[in-house]
Amino acid sequence: MLVFHPRTKARNAAEALAALEKGEAEGFRLELTPCDEPFFYLVLRDRLADPVPPPSDWKLALWSLPGITQPGVPSYDTIT
């Protein structure tokens, strides 16, 4: 699985740079957040065509995970 977003930023960028400068970056966990919406995209690599089309051509699919609400969809009960 691939986690993807076209624009992300590091929440702990200053700490990451400090760890790199001190030579203490091994094992450091960079915290990323999407810039313009509240979620990331998940991609199943084996479902991508070869060659891989640009992300703008990817088709979005609704989740079917019990108990997890998909962003932008009020409730699975309302999806027909």
Side-chain angles (χ1 to χ4, degrees):
M1 182 178 316
L2 194 125
V3 179
F4 164 79
H5 193 280
R7 291 188 60 229
T8 60
K9 63 181 175 183
R11 288 184 185 173
N12 58 343
E15 293 89 352
L17 290 173
L20 283 170
E21 289 173 0
K22 293 178 187 175
E24 301 172 354
E26 185 173 343
F28 187 87
R29 296 184 65 107
L30 188 62
E31 298 173 15
L32 299 174
T33 186
C35 289
D36 54 357
E37 50 195 15
F39 50 87
F40 286 95
Y41 298 95
L42 301 178
V43 179
L44 299 174
R45 294 180 70 114
D46 61 340
R47 300 295 303 254
L48 292 173
D50 188 23
V52 175
S56 59
D57 291 346
W58 295 0
K59 304 289 186 241
L60 297 179
L62 292 176
W63 299 353
S64 58
L65 303 172
I68 299 177
T69 303
Q70 176 166 333
V73 177
S75 163
Y76 283 108
D77 297 334
T78 62
I79 299 173
T80 58

